[in-house]
Amino acid sequence: MLKSHNAGELRAKDAGKRVTLAGWVNRRREHGGLIFIDLRDRWGITQVVADISHAPEAHRAASKIRAEYVIQVNGTVRERLPQAVNPDMPTGEIEVIADEIKVLNPAKNPPFEITGEVEPTEEVRMRWRYLDLRRERMRRNMMLRHNAILYMRNFLSERGFVEIETPILFKSTPEGARDYLVPSRVHPGKFFALPQSPQQLKQLLMVAGFERYFQIARCFRDEDQRGDRQPEFTQLDMEMSFVEREDVLQLVEELIIGMVETVSEKRIKTKPFPRLSYAETIERFGTDRPDLRFGLELADVSDIASQSDFRVFTSVVQSGGLVRALAAPGLAGYSRSQIAELEGIAKEAGAKGLATIAVEADGSLRSSITKFFSEDQLAALVEKVGAQPGDLILFVADEPAIANEALSELRTELGRRLKLADPNELAFTWIIDFPLFEWNAEEERWDPSHHMFTAPKPEHVALLDTDPAAVQSQQYDLVCNGYEVAGGSIRIHEREVQEKIFELIGLEIEDARERFGHLLEAFEYGAPPHGGIAPGVDRLIMLMAGEPNIREVIAFPKTQRAADLMAGAPSEVDPAQLEELHIAIVREPEAK
RNA sequence: GGGGGCGUGGUGUAGUGGUGAACACACCGGCCUGUCAAGCCGGAGAUCGCGGGUUCGAACCCCGUCGCUCCCGCCA
């Protein structure tokens, strides 16, 4: 080893020890005959002193050293003088007086300051990601990630789970997200697909009898990016046999709570995790992934609104829509332009407009729509939305999906503006009792709301034929601070039910056989009842780290346009490679 | 595919039609034995992302384009 100790471990009790340290020059402070070097390695920072009167040769070396040089220091640990102790550093009571300093490798002046407080732009950070990763923020995030994944592995292993790797080169299934394809050299014209998740494979592992499987699984989806979405991302993929929903929920909840409390500084708001039915979360928050760090619940005022003389409201209710409302605390004084901003948010969600009533400090109401309501109706409205003097009541009237989404977006925005969410809190909640299907109006068929292997509730199986909309599934999502952080279900393990689902979602039996024949066939060889879940590792770590996007917790993430700025991927390839793969590039015709 | 924001020395920003593009940090040189965001003195460094246009004159206005980013669509 080129070092005897690391740069974070030496303390006053080590005074007198001869040590060899190696690492990077974090900072250098030259005082003429005395030079201080903050030596950084993965474990911390230790101050090295080069004193011309102690070791002239080491001092000469230190004077030539620059930021980010890789150096090795031989010297002796000594306690600092009392007035020179730095209480802000874990190693601040000691320093290493250098006998010898060796440059293991010099460094060009870095393109941005590794140790500075100014945050470089993401473009710059991504171009030199290996330097970005030297920064404390990234080091901390990577360590958190390691600790979290280690916790998951140990937790599951202790409970009888076995980690099994599944193929990265697998089969394309056109359902779901766009696939990343890999051409086959030996099968001209044929392609592998990178897995969107190991869904089918983990179910097959249950058929194989492993009973408890997990994998830290890389998943690939060729869809456009968001702050919480990357083209390749990591799931803690899990599946269990002979379990019911409750078993999965209990186990995962125990895992998440243990992990958060062991590896992060965040507080879990509510334990055990609250459970909301899909219907209840829509009713109260307008979304299936609410941020429960704050209240600000929605009210349904359709009944009162339908009694009014306000045509906009009455006509919406008559045609099956909803009038939903939200009391924005303390915003009665909002100006026309501030309200227009909020209306813009509602409109982005598809709403046609935003109606408001301000509740003045004396309780009187100010609004352009009060004239359409009786005194009693107004009182009932205020009562129903729970508005206090000083609040601004926001109304959206539209078809249910739009009214809910618009109000949910407004709720989120108000949470942000009014700083209602505690950044140190994680508010987990289970969402359960999802509908099995969503109606796809365009294609005139039912789409699975989770995926096609999700089991209906046993007591709802009979409804598959008569009222598919009413069928609830055994799907469960784990939501935290407005993010979906896990999703899973008890699966179908009976061929008959699976084929009924295929039929309802408009998949021909022949197509199903072509795409999922291996799975259907497997179900005929003694498939145990089974279910599982897949927590999103990147999102969980992002939340535990308090970071605003998952790029901050991924060592080498892709940009918005799915590129790697450091390596320059994707890139063109040698024509010979293409030829071998039987691929010809078709150039887009020049525009104009 | 669509909408918004941003792009100015190495880094982060200011400058929004008129002299020599300003500031901080970093960098280079000098001084300096108790600093820890060291300090003091001096210095170098920018064709203002790229292309075109408007104008007597463009970092600034217009059009296009590239890149980063946020959002919609998309994400079983």
Side-chain angles (χ1 to χ4, degrees), chain A residues 109-145:
Chain A
N109 188 39
F112 55 89
E113 288 168 62
I114 311 290
T115 59
E117 305 81 54
V118 286
E119 184 74 11
T121 58
E122 268 203 78
E123 199 171 347
V124 171
R125 294 172 60 198
M126 291 304 165
R127 169 74 181 77
W128 289 279
R129 185 61 159 180
Y130 47 89
L131 297 181
D132 188 40
L133 288 166
R134 284 185 189 170
R135 301 192 309 143
E136 172 61 20
R137 175 187 185 182
M138 288 295 110
R139 193 188 64 83
R140 201 175 50 232
N141 288 350
M142 289 304 112
M143 292 311 297
L144 173 65
R145 186 175 182 117

Side-chain angles (χ1 to χ4, degrees), chain A residues 56-114:
Chain A
E57 203 53 45
H59 179 270
R60 198 168 305 122
S63 71
K64 294 192 186 110
I65 278 166
R66 294 294 180 266
E68 301 305 316
Y69 274 37
V70 182
I71 61 170
Q72 183 185 42
V73 177
N74 277 310
T76 306
V77 181
R78 71 181 183 197
E79 288 193 64
R80 297 193 193 181
L81 298 169
Q83 66 273 22
V85 165
N86 184 343
D88 299 329
M89 289 172 75
T91 61
E93 290 187 352
I94 57 97
E95 62 196 5
V96 170
I97 176 75
D99 298 325
E100 192 185 355
I101 296 177
K102 189 174 164 191
V103 175
L104 299 177
N105 212 346
K108 284 166 60 173
N109 188 39
F112 55 89
E113 288 168 62
I114 311 290

Side-chain angles (χ1 to χ4, degrees), chain A residues 273-348:
Chain A
F273 297 164
R275 296 183 185 187
L276 293 172
S277 72
Y278 178 82
E280 186 183 357
T281 186
I282 297 291
E283 173 67 27
R284 291 172 59 189
F285 305 103
T287 173
D288 60 2
R289 46 181 183 89
D291 188 343
L292 292 190
R293 285 175 297 174
F294 56 93
L296 219 58
E297 297 193 16
L298 314 187
D300 192 318
V301 296
S302 305
D303 50 347
I304 304 167
S306 67
Q307 304 299 312
S308 74
D309 297 324
F310 190 32
R311 288 286 306 274
V312 175
F313 283 3
T314 55
S315 66
V316 161
V317 175
Q318 266 161 31
S319 56
L322 298 175
V323 182
R324 307 221 58 189
L326 175 59
L331 300 192
Y334 249 33
S335 68
R336 213 173 268 275
S337 67
Q338 285 172 307
I339 289 171
E341 279 174 22
L342 296 181
E343 183 165 32
I345 291 163
K347 282 182 168 169
E348 251 180 63

Side-chain angles (χ1 to χ4, degrees), chain A residues 133-134 216 274 502 514:
Chain A
L133 288 166
R134 284 185 189 170
I216 307 298
F502 284 151
E514 160 62 24

Side-chain angles (χ1 to χ4, degrees), chain A residues 77 187 432:
Chain A
V77 181
H187 299 280
I432 55 175

